[in-house]
Amino acid sequence: MRRRLRMFGFLAVLSIAASTVVAWGCVLWSPLRDSRPLTAVEATDLITQRMGTVRDHGRPRGTRNDGPGWAAVFASDATIPAPPRPTRLSKARGRRSSGHAFTQIPIHPDDKQVEIFTAGWPLSCLEGQRTTRGTTRRPHGLVEPPGLVRDLGVKPMRLVPLRPRWGGLAVNAIFYTAVFWLAVPGPLALRRRLRRRRGACPHCGYDVAHAEHDACPECGRP
C-alpha cells in the first residue's frame, strides 16, 4: 500500500511539473490561431474587474489573441488623439518625420491598460497580468523569457505566466497522471496480473504452479 501511495505521489508531482512545462511551451512557441477585437462592453468589463472604473471620456477597446494552449487579452481606455496638423502635412508631402510624432501624444495619468496571459493544456492552468496606469506599468505573475530561451524561436511579444489557476492545474494533473500511469506502471501491472492467471511468478515469470514454497524459487520474491 505504501509503495502504491509513493508511486502515485511521485506521478502527481511529475504531472504538475509536466503541466507547467507544457503551459510555458504553449505560450512561447504556439502559433497565433485567432485574433479578434473586443467590443467596448467586453473591454469595459475587463478593465473594471481588474483596475476599477474606466474613464468617462475614454473609449475602451481591446483585442483577444488565441493559440493552441494559450490566450492573450488586451484592453485599454486610453484616448489617443490624431497626430498634430504639422505632422500630418509633413507625412503627406513625403518628408521625413521628426521622430517626435509619438512623443507628442499626451498620456493621461488615469489611462488604464490591462494585459492578461493564460496558458495550459488541456485546460488553462497558469495566469499572469500586466496593468498600466498612465506611465506606470506593473506586472503581476509575469516574467519575460530568458535570453537563452528567446534564441530558440520564441514568438514575439510573449510573456510567461506564473500564477496558478488551481482548478485547471488539478484537472491537468489528473490528466497527465493518467497518461504517465498508462505509459509505464499500467503495462507492468497488466503483465503481473496475466502472469498470476497462468500460474507464474508475477515478477520474473517463472512457473510456480507446482512450487512447494510461497516464495518463487527463481527470484525469491513471494
Side-chain angles (χ1 to χ4, degrees):
M1 185 65 180
R2 291 182 178 178
R3 183 180 178 182
R4 291 184 179 180
L5 290 177
R6 287 196 299 267
M7 180 186 67
F8 280 106
F10 172 75
L11 288 179
V13 174
L14 185 62
S15 300
I16 293 175
S19 180
T20 303
V21 171
V22 169
W24 289 345
C26 289
V27 76
L28 292 177
W29 288 290
S30 291
L32 178 64
R33 183 177 59 190
D34 184 34
S35 179
R36 69 173 181 87
L38 297 180
T39 64
V41 175
E42 291 175 328
T44 300
D45 291 341
L46 185 62
I47 296 172
T48 303
Q49 293 172 3
R50 305 283 174 158
M51 300 187 66
T53 58
V54 299
R55 295 175 57 194
D56 293 337
H57 62 282
R59 189 176 180 181
R61 62 197 183 279
T63 58
R64 179 182 177 88
N65 300 311
D66 289 285
W70 72 278
V73 184
F74 169 79
S76 173
D77 67 350
T79 301
I80 302 178
R85 187 170 182 274
T87 303
R88 294 199 303 268
L89 291 177
S90 64
K91 289 185 177 181
R93 295 172 183 173
R95 298 177 183 175
R96 185 176 179 181
S97 60
S98 62
H100 301 285
F102 293 101
T103 60
Q104 294 174 0
I105 298 176
I107 299 177
H108 195 278
D110 291 332
D111 285 345
K112 301 182 184 69
Q113 296 181 7
V114 178
E115 298 169 88
I116 301 175
F117 295 84
T118 57
W121 190 89
L123 296 181
S124 296
C125 61
L126 295 178
E127 178 180 322
Q129 74 173 19
R130 184 167 61 181
T131 58
T132 305
R133 187 186 296 271
T135 58
T136 304
R137 177 171 291 179
R138 296 179 179 178
H140 306 276
L142 282 177
V143 295
E144 293 186 6
L148 178 62
V149 177
R150 286 199 300 269
D151 295 337
L152 300 177
V154 173
K155 302 295 183 180
M157 305 300 292
R158 301 289 179 93
L159 297 175
V160 179
L162 301 176
R163 187 176 300 168
R165 304 178 73 173
W166 297 111
L169 189 62
V171 173
N172 289 0
I174 295 173
F175 173 79
Y176 287 110
T177 299
V179 171
F180 290 142
W181 190 86
L182 291 175
V184 181
L188 295 178
L190 179 61
R191 185 179 64 177
R192 288 193 295 266
R193 177 168 295 185
L194 293 176
R195 284 175 175 177
R196 287 193 184 98
R197 285 187 176 181
R198 67 171 185 260
C201 174
H203 303 289
C204 67
Y206 185 79
D207 187 5
V208 294
H210 304 287
E212 298 179 357
H213 304 284
D214 293 336
C216 174
E218 181 71 17
C219 65
R221 302 178 68 175

